[in-house]
Amino acid sequence: MPAAPAGPEPVRAVETTPPGPDPLERPRSILRAGVLALLVLTPLPFASVHAGAVLAIEIASALLGAFALVLFARDAAPLPRPALLVLACALGIALVGVIQLAPLPAPLAASLGAPGAPARAAIAPFVPEAAPESAPWSLSPADTSDALARFVGYVALGLAAAVAFREPRHLAALAVTLVLCGVFQAVYGGGEYLSGSNRIFGYEKKHYVDCATGTFINRNHFAGYLAAILPFAFALAARAKASADPKDPFRARVASWGWIAAAALLFLGILLSQSRGGLAAALAAVAAYALLARAGRPSLRLVLATLAIPAAFLLWRDTRVPLERVADLDQEVVSTSGRAAVWKTSLGVAARFPIVGTGLGTFEEAFRSLGSRDVGARYDHAHNDPIQAGVEGGVVSALLLLSLGTATFSRRSTVRFASLQTAQSATLASIAAITVHSLVDFGVRIPALAVLLAVVLAVGNALPNARR
């Protein structure tokens, strides 16, 4: 008699062990603390424009970058493609600086039209020892070495931020830190200006005494800094409202209005700076955040509250606002010493050395020796970072910058930002503010703003694909 067919085997319960804690979480938290500390400290010593502060930033960034490389090698989750593309573009710009410093045979440098070749050829008949057998491409190797060291430090800091900030809660900590720093700058700068003291930590200001500058020397850089932070205050207000407990909405409402008040203080600081570029950057930040966050009416209320409170205060104080200076744009457009003349002349200098430029950090030397005859004033910056990048790094650097921006603002990246937390939309809005500001000033050349941009750019591109 045949045996009865066997029935299905009973399903056995498989014991699964919950995943253990991430062994890299503690090292990442240390790395995050270092990045946040650098963000807090860099604006304080006059925006870190002095040589000692710059050296401290370079050393700290190198240490954080080396630590990040160790964690990156041990991390099983790689950085997302946008972050890797941004990192590759930044390293490409650094490679341009290395090429500019590489020694070339003197005849080859002269035949290629190196920026310093005519000066060396003119001096050689009178001082033969000044005619070396080899020479770098850069018009000023010392300035290029300094600029390259700074840029590599910012790249290392960006890598550290990309490795350390891997989750939305990390971005929330970044947003809180930035907004608190911005509020301090706005309150301190506004208080010094409105009180008539006009000091920076006891140092009596000699310039920009008729406006607020915070701990910055220049009002435009102060305003650009606040404009870059403004979207994070919007995001924190929206986040507080979205996370409200239905049983206790009062606490969330207080937190939301607290961040709205912080945004209003930031905007007030921008108005008191009387910076036209800063005002344009702030409006760009507001518009970009409103488009990306997709928060509807809450975003509109945030914007209206942020703009109305400082405006009402200024009307009450009868304080001069940047709109008065907009009427003086003719001086910038028509004058031979205005920025429009500088941009035109700078483009002419860039056209003479189109491939790799005159050397990173050499704008002042290049403008003085090659183009300043057409401008009635001395300029050490082009007041337009893309044009200055074209002068110093040529078409190669300009294309790399364009690729970097494309990776950040591409439609695919924008969709990922908009589908996640509103704070991640704030990173794009912050970058948009810095981009607009860089078209009329040289804020990215200031260490405090460059550190802010490096961190926000890295976190914004690294976070969308990070594990949640």
Side-chain angles (χ1 to χ4, degrees):
M1 185 175 181
E9 295 184 1
V11 178
R12 298 180 180 179
V14 179
E15 295 183 0
T16 59
T17 57
D22 186 358
L24 298 181
E25 180 54 33
R26 183 172 180 80
R28 281 204 198 95
S29 64
I30 297 174
L31 188 61
R32 281 195 300 276
V35 173
L36 293 176
L38 204 58
L39 283 171
V40 171
L41 295 175
T42 48
L44 299 180
F46 308 103
S48 298
V49 295
H50 296 302
V54 172
L55 179 61
I57 291 174
E58 291 172 352
I59 294 174
S61 298
L63 294 175
L64 292 173
F67 189 20
L69 280 176
V70 174
L71 297 183
F72 180 71
R74 296 174 55 190
D75 196 350
L79 291 177
R81 185 175 299 176
L84 294 176
L85 181 56
V86 168
L87 180 61
C89 293
L91 292 177
I93 296 174
L95 180 60
V96 171
V98 173
I99 293 173
Q100 292 169 343
L101 290 173
L104 298 173
L108 177 61
S111 63
L112 293 176
R120 286 190 290 268
I123 295 175
F126 305 98
V127 188
E129 58 271 18
E133 296 182 357
S134 63
W137 178 272
S138 172
L139 185 62
S140 176
D143 290 329
T144 299
S145 299
D146 179 62
L148 181 60
R150 293 191 191 196
F151 187 78
V152 170
Y154 300 145
V155 174
L157 179 62
L159 176 63
V163 172
F165 293 84
R166 304 303 302 272
E167 300 178 12
R169 60 188 178 90
H170 300 159
L171 181 53
L174 173 65
V176 170
T177 301
L178 289 177
V179 172
L180 292 180
C181 289
V183 167
F184 166 76
Q185 290 288 338
V187 172
Y188 180 74
E192 288 291 314
Y193 166 61
L194 294 174
S195 66
S197 175
N198 276 322
R199 293 178 178 271
I200 305 175
F201 295 146
Y203 171 79
E204 186 175 357
K205 292 196 300 184
K206 299 178 181 179
H207 306 285
Y208 300 108
V209 296
D210 59 342
C211 58
T213 63
T215 62
F216 290 69
I217 300 295
N218 188 301
R219 66 177 167 207
N220 298 313
H221 305 152
F222 166 70
Y225 178 80
L226 297 185
I229 294 175
L230 187 59
F232 292 102
F234 293 152
L236 289 172
R239 180 174 181 266
K241 187 171 184 179
S243 60
D245 185 356
K247 298 180 180 179
D248 185 19
F250 178 75
R251 182 180 302 178
R253 188 173 300 173
V254 170
S256 178
W257 279 104
W259 293 120
I260 291 176
L265 288 173
L266 293 174
F267 194 74
L268 175 62
I270 295 169
L271 293 178
L272 292 177
S273 73
Q274 301 178 24
S275 169
R276 293 169 296 198
L279 180 60
L283 296 178
V286 171
Y289 177 78
L291 290 173
L292 291 169
R294 298 181 181 177
R297 293 182 180 178
S299 281
L300 182 59
R301 287 201 295 269
L302 287 175
V303 171
L304 291 178
T306 302
L307 300 181
I309 295 174
F313 175 79
L314 288 172
L315 289 174
W316 174 68
R317 288 277 309 184
D318 193 25
T319 304
R320 183 168 175 250
V321 296
L323 293 179
E324 293 184 36
R325 298 185 67 238
V326 173
D328 298 332
L329 282 177
D330 288 343
Q331 182 179 359
E332 299 289 351
V333 177
V334 179
S335 173
T336 57
S337 61
R339 297 187 186 183
V342 176
W343 298 341
K344 181 181 178 180
T345 304
S346 300
L347 289 173
V349 174
R352 296 179 60 177
F353 308 99
I355 306 302
V356 292
T358 61
L360 302 182
T362 63
F363 176 84
E364 182 177 8
E365 179 68 22
F367 190 81
R368 181 181 60 81
S369 59
L370 301 174
S372 60
R373 298 179 186 88
D374 301 327
V375 179
R378 179 182 175 181
Y379 279 83
D380 52 0
H381 294 282
H383 289 269
N384 184 300
D385 284 321
I387 292 179
Q388 185 165 339
V391 172
E392 297 181 349
V395 175
V396 176
S397 292
L399 290 176
L400 289 170
L401 282 175
L402 181 62
S403 300
L404 189 151
T406 301
T408 302
F409 289 102
S410 65
R411 183 177 183 274
R412 183 179 177 187
S413 296
T414 303
V415 170
R416 285 202 300 267
F417 276 103
S419 63
L420 297 178
Q421 281 192 337
T422 54
Q424 290 166 321
S425 299
T427 60
L428 273 184
S430 177
I431 297 169
I434 296 175
T435 301
V436 170
H437 189 255
S438 70
L439 297 178
V440 293
D441 213 279
F442 55 97
V444 177
R445 308 284 168 164
I446 303 302
L449 272 166
V451 165
L452 173 62
L453 176 60
V455 173
V456 173
L457 187 64
V459 174
N461 282 283
L463 195 60
N465 281 346
R467 58 179 176 271
R468 305 188 182 186

